Amino acid sequence: AMATLGVQAPALARAINSVATMDNFTKEANMQHFSNSIWAMNQLKYDCPRLVQAFAVTARELMGTAHSQGISNTAFGLSYLGYFNEEIFEQIGKHADIVANGSKQDIANTLWAFGISGFTAKHEETVKMLWDDVMKRPVTQFSSEAWSQLEIARLFARSEGVDLEVIDDD
């Protein structure tokens, strides 16, 4: 809530990160808790390595319980903070069908995260599935921010040798 309001609370962020151990995380956490925590850390621009490490251990179990926004917020938040954990991205890729059934912003966030993480080529099939899905949607459904994220994802994909085709609906 504090991050949503734009309140800078470094003491709170430090406290969250300091108690983020595997034992604490696995006893009480669910995907929504982690997604919200990463989103908040992202908004606060706070480095949270213990939280990421604790989640990496439980990602396999938690991803299956997630909804599209939880997965996309996790992917976006981790990437924005510079955490490119291969196990977490593996799980995001395995649950991309959930993202594909989500909002256009969820898909844009996830594609952007794969792009800047450097995992596009490794997850080419997943990325192309999400890209093809997003290209089927009317242009009017996307904000300029979402289109910017998609263009960044496309450029990073190209740098990894993955061609994502922009479909012109004219």
Side-chain angles (χ1 to χ4, degrees):
M2 294 176 83
T4 299
L5 295 173
V7 174
Q8 296 297 310
L12 177 61
R14 278 192 304 277
I16 291 169
N17 190 56
S18 71
V19 298
T21 65
M22 195 167 39
D23 288 341
N24 289 340
F25 199 82
T26 56
K27 286 179 193 171
E28 301 294 327
N30 63 39
M31 188 62 196
Q32 188 65 42
H33 293 149
F34 180 74
S35 173
N36 289 346
S37 298
I38 286 297
W39 183 85
M41 297 297 188
N42 174 41
Q43 294 299 307
L44 298 169
K45 313 296 185 266
Y46 186 80
D47 191 28
C48 53
R50 291 180 66 164
L51 181 63
V52 174
Q53 183 180 18
F55 178 68
V57 173
T58 60
R60 180 173 285 118
E61 293 80 27
L62 294 180
M63 273 299 168
T65 67
H67 53 77
S68 180
Q69 186 180 14
I71 294 172
S72 73
N73 283 353
T74 299
F76 181 86
L78 289 172
S79 295
Y80 192 88
L81 291 169
Y83 291 106
F84 307 125
N85 181 288
E86 194 164 341
E87 174 63 22
I88 294 174
F89 272 88
E90 186 71 32
Q91 293 306 313
I92 292 168
K94 287 180 180 177
H95 295 90
D97 57 321
I98 296 170
V99 176
N101 290 314
S103 74
K104 56 206 167 290
Q105 190 64 54
D106 293 343
I107 297 171
N109 284 350
T110 305
L111 285 167
W112 178 87
F114 272 110
I116 70 160
S117 71
F119 291 134
T120 297
K122 182 173 174 114
H123 297 280
E124 183 174 352
E125 185 177 316
T126 296
V127 169
K128 283 187 170 185
M129 180 271 295
L130 290 171
W131 184 265
D132 290 347
D133 182 76
V134 84
M135 287 294 116
K136 293 175 188 170
R137 297 177 186 219
V139 171
T140 55
Q141 286 189 355
F142 293 90
S143 67
S144 60
E145 178 187 359
W147 277 115
S148 294
Q149 287 177 305
L150 291 170
E151 183 60 13
I152 289 167
R154 190 178 71 78
L155 292 172
F156 274 107
R158 183 182 294 161
S159 75
E160 290 186 53
V162 177
D163 187 33
L164 301 176
E165 184 180 340
V166 177
I167 299 171
D168 186 6
D169 56 327
D170 289 337

